[in-house]
């Protein structure tokens, strides 16, 4: 079959501009072949080249003493965890494929990220996800959601890797364009780090894995354009079909092969398939590569060179072998019953040469196609809707009149409700190293000798155990309402979740999900949120080890909210420091670290809150500001308190605010339906008066005292450390004082109960330790106060406006089953 004539229309269909086509011709010094046009189209797509995001990505901090392989160097970043051990991890998206074929799109997303990890020489030991969908009232959203969860479960469970944590959000902006971000982490020794470079002139190039088909054709290009009904139908063939059992064989064969020392370079065939793996390995090594397509195993008849090079069929690897050791490679592949073929050679030409039955169909400079794509500085303009967001006040929003109804509405909201419907489909205990499973602020995984890849000559393993905490986070509503502050909050919340688990952050990998970068308002969102992400990473000293950019996430219904997600990994020093979010024992004291309300915030933490969205139907308001120094102080103080051995639980206060945080402490122990094991709490939020309010009330009292003939009652001074004034030796407003009664005029009840002020954590400890814990937190620069006591079968709350209580079993029933009921 003759190749089609290259016309401006054909160039446009390949997502290349006429300017890019002119540059292509300049590089080649001639007109391209049809296969070369396809190669350039995928390698210069946003998905592969990051041509719209490279300048922004360079602002991330990427170095620390623990970084062994940094961002952009290889398929995944690698961090030192001590004792000669390291971890490799990364997150990537499979958004467009999941919108078209949710089961296979999500499943192959898991398969692709697993390959990125064992390509580095690491044994994959866990996965996580970060998912976004439209509103579950829509049947199509339920279909997509069910298919994606089933696909993740299928691939992870069959491969034998625990999906140990994740997050799920629902918002109308994702209708028609769901987000499916998947993460994988692996473990290896320092000396086992593998590289994706075609080293050694004359070394043979091997293909291993199932035969190449037409599935996944030009998937990288598909992911780099807006998602429409027409494009989805045309690109249904761009969705790959995965085989997790085959991937398990490929993984074990590759790890065994790497142990022999016969591998000079290794790369998976992910986005852009054989095209990307060949030119990238040559570019990294500064060499050339020549392959013969007739030697590539093919499962479809009469495949063209274009189809073979651009296919994204799954579970395939490209391996550069040390010359003279081919027999070892063949023996291992045959042992694992894997298809393989020697398809080419490393050359000294610096070019990627592709032949088909001896005829050259592509001859391209490897570095220019792989590393020197066009880079653009897009126009940025602040979105017009932000004027209304910033002008929003609470003047027209009545305070809550029924906290119980509002609490139940939030606990039943799919964003906050238990995600057990999702994670019960995952095998999160396989390999028996999951110490904290889905349902707490962060998952915790134990690493031990059987987590490591094999050695060439087996040696007696020195026993060891390492403990990692892992989380995925990204509140896109905050980013939509304030891209810079929201970007900071994404990183800070992830770090706070790790701190609640007893961990110090090691590094993070990001997934930047945004709409069309050619729209100045959409690009402004991207630029400003990246600025916030980068600033938070620098302030918290957390390196970015790599990640993924997924742009063009918009459907005919409109663009998605700007959605940066991060997966963060932390190290826990000792097993006794592992901490979970649920309350533990009757009589324990409940403490709040951080201010209950930021009084300097005109919206008192309600901007962008779940309360405004669910109860008031408003997605607006300036979100709470994220003070990075305050955040770091909280994380350090919490880590110190946990290491003292006296913290029994710790829970991040975020979506839904303080009352939801307290309710989750009562509800979230992972005991399925065993409600008899649930535990209640009694809290007095009259004690939770912000320091600014205390200062104001105290000033008013002093002014009254100094007035002639004043008979004002003195504010009571709390004998135990309580509100912030005590830390400075000032009068402290007691819950029963006259001054406390004036606090409601300054702090709204809905803000106190449901506001989402940043940098707050609820912890519990034995009652006799409470005073000491409060004093220690304050010495470390963190406001702290006692809110109440664990115990009983109700969640009882006292505030200045009244007292309310709800049976914990009733709240649990609502929170536990809401998502499942929504799915039918």
């Amino acid at each position: 079959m003759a190749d089609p004539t290259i016309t401006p229309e054909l160039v446009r269909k390949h997502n290349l501009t006429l300017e890019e086509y002119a540059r292509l011709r300049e590089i080649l010094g001639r007109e391209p072949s049809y296969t070369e046009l396809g190669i350039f189209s995928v390698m210069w797509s946003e998905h592969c080249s990051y041509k719209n995001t490279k300048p922004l990505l360079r602002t991330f901090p990427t170095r620390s003493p623990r970084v062994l392989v940094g961002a952009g160097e290889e398929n995944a970043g690698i961090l030192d965890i001590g004792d000669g051990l390291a971890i490799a991890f990364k997150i990537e998206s499979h958004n467009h494929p999941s919108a078209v074929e949710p089961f296979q799109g999500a499943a192959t997303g898991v398969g692709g990220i697993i390959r990125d990890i064992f390509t580095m020489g690491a044994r994959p030991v866990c996965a996580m996800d970060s998912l976004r969908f439209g509103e579950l009232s829509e049947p199509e959203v339920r279909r997509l959601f069910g298919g994606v969860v089933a696909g993740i479960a299928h691939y992870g469970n069959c491969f034998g890797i625990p999906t140990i944590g994740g997050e799920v959000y629902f918002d109308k902006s994702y209708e028609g364009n769901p987000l499916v971000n998947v993460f994988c982490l692996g473990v290896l020794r320092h000396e086992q780090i593998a590289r994706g470079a075609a080293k050694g002139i004359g070394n043979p190039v091997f293909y291993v894995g199932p035969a190449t088909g037409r599935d996944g054709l030009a998937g990288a290009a598909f992911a780099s354009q807006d998602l429409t009904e027409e494009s989805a139908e045309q690109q249904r063939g761009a969705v790959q079909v995965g085989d997790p059992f085959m991937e398990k064989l490929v993984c074990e064969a590759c790890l065994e092969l790497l142990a022999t020392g016969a591998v000079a370079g290794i790369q998976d065939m992910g986005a852009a398939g054989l095209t990307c793996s060949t030119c990238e390995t040559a570019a990294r090594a500064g060499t050339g590569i020549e392959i013969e397509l007739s030697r590539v195993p093919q499962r479809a008849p009469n495949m063209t060179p274009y189809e073979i090079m651009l296919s994204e069929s799954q579970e395939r690897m490209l391996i550069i072998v040390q010359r003279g050791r081919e027999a070892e490679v063949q023996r291992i592949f045959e042992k694992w019953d894997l298809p393989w073929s020697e398809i080419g050679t490393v050359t000294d030409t610096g070019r990627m040469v592709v032949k088909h039955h001896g005829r050259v169909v592509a001859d391209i400079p490897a570095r220019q196609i792989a590393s020197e794509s066009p880079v653009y500085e897009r126009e940025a303009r602040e979105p017009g809707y932000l004027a209304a967001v910033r002008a929003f006040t609470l003047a027209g929003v009545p305070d809550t009149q029924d906290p119980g109804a509002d609490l139940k509405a939030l606990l039943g909201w799919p964003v906050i409700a238990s995600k057990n419907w999702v994670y019960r489909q995952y095998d999160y205990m396989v390999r028996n190293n999951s110490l904290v499973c889905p349902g707490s602020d962060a998952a915790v995984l134990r690493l031990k000798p059987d987590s490591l890849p094999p050695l060439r000559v087996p040696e007696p393993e020195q026993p060891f155990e390492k403990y990692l905490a892992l989380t995925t986070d990204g509140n896109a509503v905050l980013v939509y309402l304030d891209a810079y502050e929201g970007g900071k909050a994404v990183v800070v919340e992830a770090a706070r979740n790790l701190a609640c688990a007893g961990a110090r952050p090691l590094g993070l990998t990001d997934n930047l999900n945004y709409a069309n970068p050619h729209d100045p308002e959409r690009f402004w969102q991207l630029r400003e949120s990246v600025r916030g992400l980068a600033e938070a990473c620098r302030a918290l000293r957390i390196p970015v080890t790599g990640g993924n950019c997924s742009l063009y996430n918009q459907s005919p219904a409109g663009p998605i909210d700007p959605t940066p997600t991060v997966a963060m990994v932390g190290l826990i020093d000792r097993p006794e420091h592992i901490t979970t979010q649920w309350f533990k024992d009757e009589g324990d004291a409940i403490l709040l670290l951080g201010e209950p309300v930021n009084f300097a915030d005109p919206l008192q933490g309600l901007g962008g809150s779940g309360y405004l969205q669910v109860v008031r139907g408003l997605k607006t308001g300036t979100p709470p500001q994220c003070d990075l120094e305050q955040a770091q102080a909280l994380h350090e103080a919490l880590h110190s308190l946990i290491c003292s051995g006296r913290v029994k639980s710790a829970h991040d206060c975020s979506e839904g605010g303080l009352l939801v945080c307290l309710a989750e402490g009562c509800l979230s122990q992972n005991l399925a339906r065993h409600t008899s094991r649930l535990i209640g709490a009694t809290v007095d939020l009259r004690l939770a008066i912000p320091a600014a309010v205390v200062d104001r009330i105290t000033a008013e009292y002093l002014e009254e005292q100094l007035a002639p003939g004043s008979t004002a009652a003195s504010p009571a001074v709390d004998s135990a450390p309580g509100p912030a004034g005590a830390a400075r030796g000032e009068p402290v407003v007691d819950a029963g004082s006259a001054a406390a009664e004036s606090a409601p005029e300054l702090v709204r009840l809905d803000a106190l109960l449901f506001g989402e002020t940043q940098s707050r954590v609820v912890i519990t400890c034995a009652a006799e330790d409470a005073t000491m814990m409060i004093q220690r937190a304050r010495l470390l620069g963190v406001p702290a106060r006692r809110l109440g006591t664990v115990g009983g079968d109700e969640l009882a709350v006292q505030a200045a406006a009244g007292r309310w209580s709800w049976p914990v079993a009733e709240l649990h029933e609502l929170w536990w089953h809401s998502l499942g009921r929504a799915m039918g």
Side-chain angles (χ1 to χ4, degrees):
M1 183 183 297
D3 288 343
T5 302
I6 296 177
T7 64
E9 176 65 15
L10 188 63
V11 170
R12 186 191 66 77
K13 285 184 177 180
H14 279 75
N15 255 12
L16 291 170
T17 67
L18 294 180
E19 292 77 13
E20 288 170 342
Y21 182 70
R23 182 170 176 180
L24 177 165
R25 293 176 59 202
E26 182 181 343
I27 289 171
L28 295 178
R30 54 177 169 77
E31 293 289 333
S33 68
Y34 182 53
T35 300
E36 289 171 331
L37 179 66
I39 288 171
F40 273 94
S41 76
V42 293
M43 291 306 299
W44 282 7
S45 68
E46 175 62 33
H47 191 79
C48 290
S49 73
Y50 296 163
K51 59 188 177 184
N52 294 296
T53 51
K54 274 183 180 177
L56 301 178
L57 299 180
R58 294 187 184 111
T59 66
F60 284 132
T62 57
R63 295 296 172 189
S64 86
R66 290 188 179 272
V67 174
L68 302 178
V69 176
E73 294 181 32
E74 292 285 350
N75 295 282
I78 297 183
L79 294 175
D80 174 27
I81 60 171
D83 300 318
L85 305 173
I87 52 174
F89 61 87
K90 190 180 182 185
I91 191 169
E92 283 207 347
S93 62
H94 233 216
N95 300 337
H96 281 27
S98 299
V100 175
E101 293 286 352
F103 182 91
Q104 288 296 348
T108 53
V110 175
I113 199 65
I114 290 174
R115 286 195 302 279
D116 278 341
I117 298 308
F118 71 73
T119 296
M120 299 303 302
R123 178 175 294 284
V125 295
C126 73
M128 295 193 296
D129 56 32
S130 178
L131 310 176
R132 303 288 187 283
F133 298 90
E135 295 175 344
L136 283 176
S137 57
E138 296 294 327
E140 175 63 9
V141 172
R142 294 196 296 273
R143 184 187 74 84
L144 291 172
F145 181 39
V148 164
V149 170
I152 292 171
H154 167 72
Y155 210 99
N157 295 354
C158 293
F159 182 87
I161 187 173
T163 304
I164 196 173
E167 59 165 3
V168 188
Y169 280 81
F170 301 90
D171 186 275
K172 192 174 181 63
S173 77
Y174 303 109
E175 287 184 13
N177 199 133
L179 302 184
V180 179
N181 298 173
V182 287
F183 164 95
C184 185
L185 179 142
V187 189
L188 71 167
R189 305 168 184 86
H190 288 196
E191 63 271 20
Q192 291 179 308
I193 296 174
R195 298 283 183 170
K199 295 180 179 177
I201 307 304
N203 279 340
V205 176
F206 275 69
Y207 170 116
V208 62
T212 296
R214 293 189 172 96
D215 56 320
L217 194 62
F222 171 46
S224 302
Q225 57 183 298
D226 291 349
L227 184 61
T228 65
E229 291 183 14
E230 181 184 9
S231 71
E233 187 57 38
Q234 289 175 347
Q235 294 295 336
R236 199 164 295 276
V239 180
Q240 308 93 329
V241 177
D243 182 348
F245 299 106
M246 175 63 75
E247 178 127 323
K248 179 63 173 176
L249 297 178
V250 172
C251 175
E252 295 301 331
C254 287
L255 292 179
E256 182 176 336
L257 180 61
L258 286 166
T260 67
V263 175
I266 182 170
Q267 175 86 353
D268 77 299
M269 296 187 208
L274 191 55
T275 289
C276 190
S277 58
T278 49
C279 67
E280 282 193 352
T281 53
R284 287 195 189 110
T287 59
I289 195 165
E290 182 176 309
I291 60 173
E292 171 54 63
L293 295 183
S294 63
R295 299 179 189 170
V296 173
Q298 299 161 49
R299 67 170 180 267
N302 303 317
M303 289 188 69
T304 66
Y306 180 100
E307 292 171 329
I308 298 170
M309 288 300 293
L310 272 63
S311 168
E312 293 183 9
S313 294
Q314 293 291 286
E315 293 89 37
R316 302 176 302 157
M317 303 291 289
L318 190 80
I319 300 175
I320 293 86
V321 176
Q322 300 285 2
R323 186 167 46 182
R325 304 189 68 174
E326 293 88 342
E328 293 177 69
V329 177
Q330 296 167 15
R331 177 184 59 80
I332 289 172
F333 290 160
E334 289 171 359
K335 168 190 170 181
W336 289 98
D337 198 21
L338 287 172
W340 63 269
S341 178
E342 185 177 335
I343 65 169
T345 308
V346 177
T347 69
D348 62 358
T349 64
R351 304 183 72 84
M352 177 179 73
V353 177
V354 181
K355 296 181 177 179
H356 189 230
H357 297 290
R359 178 174 65 91
V360 175
V361 293
D363 185 353
I364 305 171
R367 184 175 298 279
Q368 287 185 281
I369 183 66
S371 309
E372 299 178 15
S373 67
V375 177
Y376 299 106
E377 297 274 359
R378 296 295 181 192
E379 179 188 352
R381 183 176 66 247
E382 182 177 287
Y385 69 82
L386 288 178
V389 168
R390 292 169 184 149
F392 174 79
T393 71
L394 297 173
V397 181
D399 203 341
T400 179
Q401 300 301 309
D402 190 345
D406 296 342
L407 172 63
K408 291 175 182 178
L410 285 165
L411 290 177
W413 187 33
V415 171
I416 289 177
S418 170
K419 304 304 184 295
N420 72 86
W421 184 89
V422 175
Y423 63 71
R424 74 187 183 199
Q425 299 183 52
Y426 301 157
D427 186 345
Y428 49 79
M429 289 296 294
V430 64
R431 296 184 63 84
N432 200 33
N433 288 322
S434 306
L435 300 182
V436 177
C437 298
S440 195
D441 282 319
V444 177
L445 187 74
R446 172 181 55 202
L447 306 180
K448 55 186 194 297
D450 67 359
S451 305
L452 291 166
L455 292 167
R456 182 178 185 180
V457 179
E459 300 175 359
E461 286 284 2
Q462 295 298 319
F464 72 86
E465 286 197 354
K466 300 279 185 179
Y467 305 93
L468 298 179
L470 309 96
T471 184
T472 55
D473 286 286
N475 188 329
V477 171
L478 302 186
V479 182
Y480 169 76
L481 298 173
D482 188 327
Y484 169 66
E485 289 292 337
K488 290 196 296 183
V490 168
V491 174
V492 168
E493 183 178 357
R496 193 164 62 241
N497 283 332
L498 293 190
C500 287
R504 290 187 183 276
L506 296 172
L508 69 81
T509 174
D510 63 78
N511 209 131
L512 305 180
N513 306 274
Y514 294 82
N516 193 321
H518 298 270
D519 183 323
E521 293 191 351
R522 305 287 85 80
F523 190 75
W524 185 92
Q525 293 174 327
L526 170 59
R527 187 192 69 187
E528 288 301 294
S529 57
V530 167
R531 183 167 69 93
L533 291 164
E535 185 173 324
C537 288
R538 285 191 294 270
L540 303 183
R541 299 186 293 278
I542 302 172
V544 177
T545 64
N548 171 246
C549 294
S550 175
L551 308 187
Y552 302 94
N553 286 293
Q554 57 189 70
S555 66
I560 65 163
D561 285 351
T563 310
T565 63
V566 301
M568 192 178 292
V569 182
L571 189 64
I572 301 174
D573 296 329
R574 301 171 63 88
E576 55 267 30
H577 297 164
I578 297 171
T579 310
T580 51
Q581 72 179 42
W582 43 85
F583 297 154
K584 301 301 188 297
D585 300 310
E586 297 267 349
D588 284 348
I590 302 171
L591 312 181
L592 174 67
L593 305 182
E595 290 287 13
V597 179
N598 179 6
F599 193 58
D601 177 3
L603 302 184
Q604 299 183 13
L606 289 174
S609 65
Y611 171 80
L612 279 191
Q613 294 176 66
V614 175
V615 177
R616 302 300 178 192
L618 298 170
K619 184 178 170 181
T620 190
T622 303
Q625 288 199 339
C626 186
D627 185 313
L628 296 174
E629 289 186 10
Q630 186 181 80
Q632 182 71 334
L634 173 66
H635 304 164
E636 292 292 342
L638 178 56
H639 189 265
S640 175
L641 294 176
I642 288 174
C643 290
S644 75
R646 292 179 170 85
V647 174
K648 292 190 176 183
S649 72
H651 186 19
D652 161 40
C653 187
S654 54
E655 284 94 351
L658 183 56
L659 190 53
V660 165
C661 178
L662 292 165
E664 288 174 337
C666 299
L667 307 178
S668 58
Q669 187 166 2
N670 200 352
L671 296 172
R673 295 183 177 85
H674 302 309
T675 55
S676 60
R677 296 284 302 280
L678 301 173
I679 193 166
T682 300
V683 297
D684 190 340
L685 297 183
R686 294 176 298 176
L687 295 172
I689 303 170
V693 176
V694 173
D695 293 342
R696 177 169 173 178
I697 294 172
T698 301
E700 291 173 354
Y701 159 73
L702 293 174
E703 186 176 329
E704 291 173 3
Q705 285 289 86
L706 294 174
S710 172
T711 58
S714 171
V717 178
D718 195 357
S719 58
R728 303 187 296 273
E730 300 169 0
V732 175
V733 181
D734 184 71
S737 73
E741 297 304 318
S742 68
E745 300 174 7
L746 304 171
V747 181
R748 292 173 55 112
L749 180 60
D750 53 8
L752 178 62
L753 299 179
F754 306 115
E756 297 178 10
T757 294
Q758 288 284 320
S759 295
R760 299 179 299 165
V761 170
V762 169
I763 66 172
T764 59
C765 63
E768 59 269 22
D769 293 331
T771 298
M772 183 272 291
M773 298 286 273
I774 291 169
Q775 290 174 332
R776 184 166 181 173
R778 290 177 177 172
L779 286 172
L780 294 170
V782 175
R785 66 211 72 205
R786 180 168 179 168
L787 298 182
T789 303
V790 175
D793 58 5
E794 291 186 330
L795 172 59
V797 177
Q798 176 74 58
R803 186 183 187 280
W804 305 270
S805 63
W806 310 278
V808 172
E810 180 183 324
L811 297 180
H812 182 270
E813 173 70 14
L814 172 67
W815 172 80
W816 183 261
H817 294 290
S818 286
L819 193 55
R821 287 171 179 151
M823 288 300 292

